[in-house]
């Protein structure tokens, strides 16, 4: 049990005291609130109270919701066929237009991003983290409202949250994203249910008691009552055994470092670091590694393995048919052709590190010549 | 007290359910609910965990918020209605909006029922109800619950002022659970306002609707969405369902109270109401702004100067910045409304009035509706059935299985008149009667059947006023300005007066008025009560009666409170401006017009101060000589 009064008391100490303790509220607070910490405490306490009781004829969530909507974007990309929506959601994580979202087929083309203010941007993919199904996009814009990730924001079960996303692509044209309210039902580990949920992500999730994870909601924001990003909505997940759909978010804490690394260029990059191609006879290729890929029939045929040559580096690394190659070293493999080009930059005497997806697992293996 | 203990005491595994009787399972559920409730209070109260023996004390703020919610639910619930289609063909929800029993629901709830259904309210009573009017495009229908004149009506809220994050509640009959006649309440927030939802299928379009995360499920259709104070914000009717089956996934939509109120008058008319179009298409310009991309030359908007490339700035006082905005505002209006339009054309901002036309052709809507219509409605009672068979709703139905073929009670059938183009013509007849009674009871009214003749004298309002004499006598219509008489002896001359936009356009308006008073709507020609519409873009919405006299279509617009006629419009051609006779009244003596104006389009053609308006004996008049032209 987490009695409300305790919650308010804890809040009072944290926010009524010296600024900075426990982090300042991220949203704009009118000056007269700043000057009167007591008043601000009352505001937060009331907000908390209302959320905990779940009801109010008094104070709507308007400002809270509005601030969060301004930090959520609509993303349009590949897809559009039935069951494959060509849209998802994303959250602004820097004032310069960095957007965190989920890694999905929608990003198979450079996506279009629509901001809350109605502006439309072409975006580029900065990088992604396959184990988290996380991607970071960048648009050319400045002074945007955003969720800072440098403050630690944790939520526990029973904490009120709102989820903001463009689920079902309801927000037509310049309409703002949809807002839903509820609570964190649990913090739990997806790994505990390994095999029943088909996802490469095996870490901790916030289980939500609101029906947040609908088509197009992935990449949306879960925001605590102080306006901080506490999680990012994941893709739709269904328990393979029971057919139950999971409503969940990946905690912002889990995403913070990877997002920072991608933005700082310390992580997966999409453009090859070295574009120096070695002579064909000195570089790796599919044959040197023992990889037999699926027929390359598309411009961007996914880098699926069709067969493994016996007694090859690939065979020794226990690669299998149907493995999908995601990364070579830290560089993203966007297609079979892209992989071939990347291999041209590696000396065939060197080992090759591949990150692959096998069903829902993400594995990194080293292929030694 | 702990969750674990309760769990162990009440195993819910399939095996235990299979072993024990079903009642046992229910009891377990109740125990769990009780424990959950106690836990819930523990959450809200200030007691430390575990001390359940002490009386619970609530934080006063929690208590206040909770009591406000309880009050709001208590205020809202009586007006919520559960709709059941006789014969078990489904049902839905509705909401009472007048003490006389008029209620709103979805068209798709009433369409399987046809014209007769049964409704229950939270007081535990079941009422017979009839269909009144239908708006198949907006998915609205009006029904009337019968048997009382003191139904609890919902109070209207302001859906235009509603914001994302406002608390709200949905009350209704999800999954037709209200077998015990008690509605179900779900609570949530507004997830979006001003949503445009594309037409689903061929008809339904939700323009400017509200989106909520309060649970909306099949059976909630047609029911109310209330704000946190229990005021009516909208009519729930649509959900986003997808792969998870037809259950709530956190997204429900409600037709806004604003839109519903726009349609109330038209629904009350018993008609099948169509939606409005500007006669132009609009795109969103790259640098912002809603720009006309195509326009019909026959549209009123074209006559008022709107052209390809014009930027639309405001419609009906609402600012529009995108094509989406334009569609949203227009989707909330019935056809034939005349509303304000502000647009920019060649750098100049213009304010004007436009008449909206129908989205569908005359029979197109009926054809589409028939396509969407489920089975035929129950039949009217067989002749010879004794009246007075009503009032047995409280008793269990002796032959429940026969309900599928149940006949409509006689007193209900009295309120149903079928006619092409109408949901229920009975209500149009009522409104026609009311309107013509009001016409006869105001100046220059008369007894039914009498054929009045009027002579009106006055002078023009201009720098050098000229005397005016109007003669409104059957077959001898004349207007004389100074020494110059204009005589209209025939229908075609009256038609020509309007088509030519001449001052003689007052004559067909006055003649129609005279004939409507004398003959009433039933003998006037083809007449019908339209419903309500703004007067030249202005609220309150005016009552409107339409009469068709040969090639002329005449509309009377009267004030909803005083019921005094304010404008009579005469259309000679649907694609040209009507003659508008505006009656000028002195508030001190409003009954008798002090003057009139004749307008075409937005221009005043002629203005006259009235000195006398007398009833005359037609035979005593000297015939005027028709001026040769």
């Amino acid at each position: 049990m987490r009695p409300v009064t305790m919650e308010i008391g804890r809040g009072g100490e944290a926010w009524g005291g010296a600024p900075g303790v426990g982090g300042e509220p991220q949203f704009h607070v009118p000056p007269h609130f700043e000057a009167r910490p007591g008043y601000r405490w009352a505001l937060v306490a009331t907000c908390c109270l209302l959320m905990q009781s779940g009801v109010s004829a008094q104070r709507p969530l308007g400002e809270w919701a509005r601030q969060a909507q301004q930090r959520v974007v609509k993303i349009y990309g590949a897809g559009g066929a039935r069951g494959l929506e060509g849209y998802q959601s994303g959250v602004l994580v820097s004032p310069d237009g960095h957007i965190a979202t989920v890694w999905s087929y929608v990003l198979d083309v450079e996506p279009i991003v629509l901001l809350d203010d109605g502006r439309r941007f072409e975006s580029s993919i900065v990088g992604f983290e396959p184990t988290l199904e996380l991607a970071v996009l960048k648009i050319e814009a400045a002074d945007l409202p955003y969720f800072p990730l440098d403050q630690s924001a944790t939520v526990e079960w029973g904490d009120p949250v709102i989820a903001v996303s463009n689920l079902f692509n309801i927000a037509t044209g310049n309409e703002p994203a949809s807002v839903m309210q509820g609570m964190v039902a649990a913090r739990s580990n997806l790994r505990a249910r390994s095999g029943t949920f088909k996802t490469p992500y095996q870490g901790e999730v916030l289980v939500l008691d609101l029906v947040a994870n609908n088509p197009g909601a992935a990449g949306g924001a879960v925001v605590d009552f102080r306006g901080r990003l506490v999680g990012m909505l994941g893709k739709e997940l269904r328990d393979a055994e029971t057919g139950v759909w999971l409503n969940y978010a990946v905690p912002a804490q889990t995403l913070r470092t990877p997002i920072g690394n991608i933005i700082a260029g310390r992580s997966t990059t999409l453009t090859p670091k070295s574009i120096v191609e070695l002579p064909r006879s000195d570089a790796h290729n599919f044959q040197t590694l023992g990889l037999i890929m699926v027929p390359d029939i598309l411009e961007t045929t996914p880098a699926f393995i069709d067969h493994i040559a016996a007694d090859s580096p690939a065979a020794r690394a226990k690669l299998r048919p149907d493995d999908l190659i995601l990364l070579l070293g830290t560089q993203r493999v966007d297609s079979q052709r892209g992989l071939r080009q990347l291999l041209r930059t590696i000396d065939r005497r060197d080992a090759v590190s591949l990150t692959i997806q096998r069903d829902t697992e993400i594995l990194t293996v080293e292929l030694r010549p | 007290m702990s969750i674990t203990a309760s769990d162990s005491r009440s195993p819910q595994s399939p095996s235990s359910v299979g072993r024990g009787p079903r009642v046992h399972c229910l009891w377990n559920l109740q125990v769990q609910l009780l424990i959950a409730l106690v836990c819930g209070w523990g959450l809200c109260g200030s007691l430390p965990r575990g001390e359940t023996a002490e009386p619970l004390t609530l934080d006063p703020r929690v208590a206040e918020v909770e009591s406000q919610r309880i009050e709001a639910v208590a205020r809202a619930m009586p007006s919520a209605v559960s709709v059941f289609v006789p014969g078990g063909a489904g049902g839905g929800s509705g909401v009472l909006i007048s003490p006389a029993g008029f209620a709103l629901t979805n068209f798709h709830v009433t369409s399987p029922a046809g014209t007769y259904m049964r409704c229950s309210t939270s007081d535990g009573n079941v009422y017979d109800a009839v269909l009144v009017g239908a708006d198949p495009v907006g998915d609205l229908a009006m029904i009337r619950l019968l048997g009382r004149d003191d139904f609890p009506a919902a109070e209207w809220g302001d859906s235009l002022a509603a914001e994302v994050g406002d608390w709200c509640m949905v009350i209704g009959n999800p999954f037709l659970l209200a077998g015990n006649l008690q509605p179900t309440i779900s609570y949530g927030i507004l997830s979006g306002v001003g949503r445009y939802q594309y037409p689903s299928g061929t008809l339904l379009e939700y323009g400017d609707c509200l989106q909520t995360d309060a649970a909306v499920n099949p059976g909630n259709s047609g029911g109310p969405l209330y704000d946190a104070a229990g005021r009516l914000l909208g009519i729930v009717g649509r959900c986003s369902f997808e792969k998870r089956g037809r259950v709530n996934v956190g997204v429900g939509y409600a037709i806004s109270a604003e839109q519903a109120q726009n349609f109330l008058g038209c629904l009350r008319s018993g008609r099948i109401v169509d939606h409005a179009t500007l006669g132009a298409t609009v795109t969103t310009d790259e640098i912002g702004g809603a720009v006309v991309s195509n326009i019909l030359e026959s549209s009123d908007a074209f006559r008022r100067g709107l052209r390809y490339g014009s930027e639309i700035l405001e419609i009906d006082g609402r600012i529009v910045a995108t094509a989406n905005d334009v569609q949203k505002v227009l989707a909330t209006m019935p056809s034939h409304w005349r509303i304000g339009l502000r647009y920019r054309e060649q750098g100049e901002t213009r304010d004007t009035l436009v008449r909206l036309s129908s989205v569908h052709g005359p029979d197109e809507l009926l054809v589409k509706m028939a396509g969407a219509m489920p089975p035929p409605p129950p039949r009217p009672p067989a002749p010879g059935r004794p009246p007075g068979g009503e009032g047995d709703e409280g008793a269990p139905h002796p032959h429940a299985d026969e309900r599928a073929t149940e006949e409509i009670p006689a007193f209900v059938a009295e309120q149903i008149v079928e006619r092409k183009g109408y949901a229920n013509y009975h209500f149009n007849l009522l409104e026609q009667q009311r309107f013509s009674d009001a016409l006869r009871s105001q100046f220059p009214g008369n007894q039914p059947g009498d054929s009045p003749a009027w002579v009106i004298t006055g002078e023009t309002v201009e720098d050098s006023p000229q005397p005016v004499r109007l003669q409104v006598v059957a077959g001898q219509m004349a207007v004389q300005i100074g020494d110059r008489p204009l005589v209209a002896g025939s229908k075609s001359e009256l038609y020509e007066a309007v088509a030519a936009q001449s001052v003689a356009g007052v004559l067909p308006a006055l003649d129609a008025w005279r004939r409507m008073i004398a003959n009433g709507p039933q003998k006037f020609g083809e007449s019908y009560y339209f419903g309500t519409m703004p007067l030249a873009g202005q609220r309150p919405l005016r009552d409107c009666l339409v009469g068709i006299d040969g090639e002329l279509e005449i509309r009377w617009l009267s004030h909803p409170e005083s019921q005094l006629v304010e404008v009579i419009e005469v259309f000679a051609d649907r694609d040209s401006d009507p003659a508008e006779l505006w009656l000028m009244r002195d508030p001190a003596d409003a009954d008798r017009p002090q003057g009139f104006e004749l307008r075409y389009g937005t221009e005043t053609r002629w203005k006259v101060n009235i000195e006398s308006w007398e009833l005359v004996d037609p035979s005593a008049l000297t015939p005027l000589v028709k001026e040769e032209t």
Side-chain angles (χ1 to χ4, degrees), chain B residues 222-243:
Chain B
L225 171 75
Y226 295 104
D227 68 11
R231 290 173 300 230
L232 184 59
L233 268 190
I235 306 297
V236 167
R238 189 166 163 179
C239 295
S240 283
F241 297 127
E242 215 182 49
K243 41 181 114 51

Side-chain angles (χ1 to χ4, degrees), chain A residues 91-100 126 136-139 144 263:
Chain A
V91 291
L92 284 159
V93 290
S94 88
D96 308 318
H98 286 101
I99 294 158
V126 180
V136 176
L137 313 181
K138 174 82 169 72
I139 57 171
L144 299 174
I263 292 176

